[in-house]
Amino acid sequence: MDAYYFAYGSNLEGQLPGVSSVGPAWLPDKELACRYKSSERRGGVFDVCDRIGQATAGWLFSMTDDAWVGLDSKDEASKYFRRFSWFAIEPHGQHVAVETYEVIPEERGLFASPNNEYLKTVRAGRKKHHISDDGHLDAVSKNTSCPWYTPYVFVYGTCRPKESRFEVLNRHGIKELRKGTVDGTLLDFGAWPGLVEGTTPIQGELVRSANLPELLSALDEVEGFEGWCGAGHLFRRTLRKIETDAGPVIAWLYDYAGRERGATIIATGDWFMRKK
């Protein structure tokens, strides 16, 4: 299947011929920035930069070949922006191949303030697609770091309290720990579990770390997640809605991406309640 287009800025309107709306998504480990001054826009325009643990909200569009040509050939885009491949995360945690745009590194400079008309266009696109206000547009336009889209990680297996890998969380500082559930099916591989699709409430803990990027980097290695454009993951990092006593929370978690051969289902959905 061809990659979707992930829009996060002024192209959220999606008015080009050959562009069809698909749905909401997040661009993981990418953060909005404003480091290029556009003569066409008379001010700074949005770009994305690397930041482990961040997620940029946007919208997916399916594109015809002519639509891609139209985007690539925009006067300023063709000179100062480049298209790159990544993966986006849909609301139920699925990874989808996408292409989006970033400013060519050589053209990036210091902060360039976006003008009000440009911000108005971006806000209108977000409102059109019901993308909630996450504080990122305000932060970027004022040249401050975006707040974390979510500061939470959800653990349901060997990283839970008193389990063998809980020390990974402790090592990076725990600022908050509370109960939560996520829908799925919990598989028992003996020494560890794996979460796959399903409707059982899977029990676990919602963790807020003192250092989210370092924690996620450590967990990526522990869980065998090889990056957004990698292949052969044992687990993959994704975003899911976690139910808590205080209401739903979006959090990072690792679901199982390997073979299910030899696993049994933990019917309770609770790793602590498995048969030992």
Side-chain angles (χ1 to χ4, degrees):
M1 181 179 178
D2 292 336
Y4 292 122
Y5 169 46
F6 180 88
Y8 59 86
S10 58
N11 283 337
L12 279 167
E13 284 288 326
Q15 296 298 318
L16 290 173
V19 176
S20 299
S21 175
V22 175
W26 298 285
L27 201 66
D29 289 355
K30 295 288 184 180
E31 179 170 276
L32 284 180
C34 222
R35 299 166 296 177
Y36 169 70
K37 186 174 182 178
S38 164
S39 57
E40 181 181 323
R41 294 286 185 177
R42 303 186 305 280
V45 293
F46 292 145
D47 181 19
V48 286
C49 61
D50 295 336
R51 189 183 183 193
I52 294 175
Q54 188 56 281
T56 293
W59 202 262
L60 299 178
F61 296 94
S62 63
M63 306 279 287
T64 64
D65 289 342
D66 287 343
W68 281 120
V69 171
L71 279 181
D72 288 339
S73 62
K74 280 186 172 181
D75 289 343
E76 202 165 27
S78 63
K79 295 178 183 177
Y80 304 113
F81 286 78
R82 67 182 182 185
R83 184 159 31 123
F84 72 96
S85 300
W86 204 246
F87 277 81
I89 302 173
E90 293 184 299
H92 294 292
Q94 303 94 328
H95 286 196
V96 293
V98 299
E99 296 199 358
T100 190
Y101 291 86
E102 64 182 356
V103 174
I104 295 170
E106 293 77 14
E107 299 295 335
R108 290 171 177 158
L110 299 176
F111 171 67
S113 179
N115 69 31
N116 289 335
E117 192 62 30
Y118 176 76
L119 284 173
K120 183 178 178 181
T121 298
V122 178
R123 291 186 193 282
R126 289 174 66 100
K127 183 177 181 180
K128 174 182 177 180
H129 296 297
H130 307 287
I131 298 172
S132 62
D133 183 3
D134 49 25
H136 289 191
L137 297 190
D138 285 341
V140 174
S141 64
K142 296 174 183 176
N143 196 26
T144 59
S145 293
C146 294
W148 292 117
Y149 191 87
T150 175
Y152 293 107
V153 179
F154 182 75
V155 295
Y156 57 85
T158 58
C159 287
R160 297 182 70 183
K162 299 182 180 180
E163 290 291 309
S164 60
R165 287 175 173 164
F166 183 65
E167 59 86 20
V168 177
L169 304 183
N170 262 334
R171 194 166 65 238
H172 294 91
I174 298 174
K175 299 182 72 174
E176 183 180 350
L177 183 71
R178 54 190 167 112
K179 298 290 186 181
T181 63
V182 64
D183 286 346
T185 297
L186 198 59
L187 301 179
D188 187 350
F189 290 93
W192 42 269
L195 176 69
V196 295
E197 290 184 4
T199 58
T200 300
I202 306 303
Q203 308 295 317
E205 279 73 38
L206 199 62
V207 180
R208 184 162 62 94
S209 171
N211 193 323
L212 180 64
E214 288 191 5
L215 174 60
L216 289 176
S217 294
L219 289 174
D220 284 353
E221 183 174 353
V222 166
E223 305 291 2
F225 176 64
E226 299 179 354
W228 301 103
C229 294
H233 309 299
L234 182 60
F235 286 79
R236 60 176 192 172
R237 175 152 55 93
T238 192
L239 289 164
R240 290 285 305 276
K241 182 174 72 172
I242 309 301
E243 298 294 339
T244 76
D245 289 344
V249 175
I250 298 295
W252 293 105
L253 64 74
Y254 292 81
D255 62 16
Y256 184 64
R259 295 183 177 181
E260 299 179 18
R261 186 179 304 162
T264 58
I265 294 176
I266 301 174
T268 62
D270 189 343
W271 176 241
F272 290 162
M273 302 295 289
R274 70 193 184 279
K275 294 179 180 180
K276 298 183 180 181

